[in-house]
Every structure is written in structure tokens, then in C-alpha cells.
Amino acid sequence: PGKGSTFSIFLPVTREPVPEASKSVEEELPPGDGTILVVEDQQDVREVNEEMLQAHGFSTISAENGLEAVELFRQSPQSVDLVLMDLTMPKMGGWEAYLAMKDIDPKIRVIFNSGHATDEKIIEKIRHSGRDLILKPFNRMTLLRTIHRVLSEEPVAG
């Protein structure tokens, strides 16, 4: 106490032009178009995901568990372009909810996400189904690029 340190940092001066900043996600990707059903049991994570998607131009609807998601999907499957679904949730997990939604619309587009995808059987089922899995925490660029790629692909039943 009563003593301290002083640090001086010297940076070199340059006359070179400053390189152009890299493009943002919004500049690299076209604006979002369509409605995404965000299924996540953690409210703060669900809200952040929705805010990221809405800021990019997507419309969102949300559910806090698989049962609620299936019911929302059942009411209007044609209005949901993609489902962003957590794997581990109370009441009904993501894989079970996906299977129920697939019975409603076999060409459903879904991206699974998980912070602790340790169930190798479920991971193998996701891989075999051809669906995407992104691990939490994921960044905005990873999420948006994955969504744009999945939405640009022809929907496949399975």
C-alpha cells in the first residue's frame, strides 16, 4: 500500500495506411429471411440467440422446452423455416422433439446445439440424420453461417 508501479509503453509510428477492417458477418452474408424457432430452456441464452437472429433480419419464435416447441410447430409448420434446438432440456429433449416435428414435416430444417453433448448415441444419430450440431458457446458468425448454409440447401426428408 502506498507504493505503485509506472509502466510506459512505446508503440512504433508508421506512415503505412491502416488495413481495411475485415467485413462483418452482416456484410459477408445476405440479410436473414424467414422465421426461426429457437428452442432453449435457459432464458438468457434463448434471448441472446433471438437478439442475434433478429439483428440479422430473421423473425423468431421461441420455446423453452421440446414439448412447447412441438406444439408451436404443430400449429403452423409451414411458417417455420428452421429450428435452432438445444439437445438437453426438461420435459422433452431436442432429439425427441425433432422426431416429433419430423412426423409433422419430414423436410424440417434443424440445427442442434449443446453445451454438453456427451451422449454419443444422440451425437451419432444427429450425424446419421445429416443435421448440424454446433457446440456452445458458439459465436455469432458460426451461428449465422450455419443457418445460411442450411437454409440454402434443399430440404431433405430424413
Side-chain angles (χ1 to χ4, degrees):
K3 296 182 179 180
S5 299
T6 301
F7 296 92
S8 297
I9 300 174
F10 298 94
L11 300 175
V13 176
T14 181
R15 298 203 190 282
E16 297 294 317
V18 177
E20 186 177 316
S22 63
K23 293 182 178 182
S24 71
V25 173
E26 286 77 12
E27 293 171 345
E28 289 181 22
L29 299 170
D33 182 31
T35 300
I36 298 178
L37 172 55
V38 179
V39 188
E40 170 65 56
D41 60 313
Q42 295 179 15
Q43 181 178 348
D44 55 339
V45 175
R46 186 173 61 245
E47 289 172 356
V48 167
N49 288 342
E50 285 190 284
E51 288 171 11
M52 282 193 294
L53 295 170
Q54 291 167 1
H56 191 66
F58 290 106
S59 298
T60 62
I61 52 178
S62 66
E64 64 182 48
N65 61 60
L67 281 176
E68 186 179 334
V70 171
E71 188 52 39
L72 284 170
F73 190 76
R74 184 183 324 279
Q75 291 171 13
S76 187
Q78 70 283 356
S79 67
V80 175
D81 297 293
L82 182 135
V83 180
L84 177 63
M85 180 135 45
D86 189 14
L87 272 177
T88 308
M89 296 178 288
K91 297 187 182 180
M92 179 185 278
W95 182 254
E96 293 80 13
Y98 161 70
L99 293 176
M101 290 179 191
K102 192 174 81 151
D103 285 343
I104 298 165
D105 179 1
K107 293 186 177 185
I108 183 175
R109 290 180 168 129
V110 63
I111 298 170
F112 293 101
N113 63 84
S114 179
H116 41 78
T118 57
D119 187 338
E120 286 298 322
K121 290 179 184 177
I122 295 293
I123 292 171
E124 187 56 36
K125 287 178 182 180
I126 292 170
R127 286 188 187 125
H128 183 69
S129 74
R131 305 307 185 222
D132 285 84
L133 170 65
I134 54 178
L135 298 177
K136 297 177 190 174
F138 48 82
N139 64 37
R140 179 180 172 135
M141 184 172 282
T142 298
L143 176 62
L144 292 175
R145 283 185 177 156
T146 305
I147 288 171
H148 277 280
R149 182 181 47 75
V150 171
L151 288 175
S152 70
E153 295 171 349
E154 190 65 31
V156 179

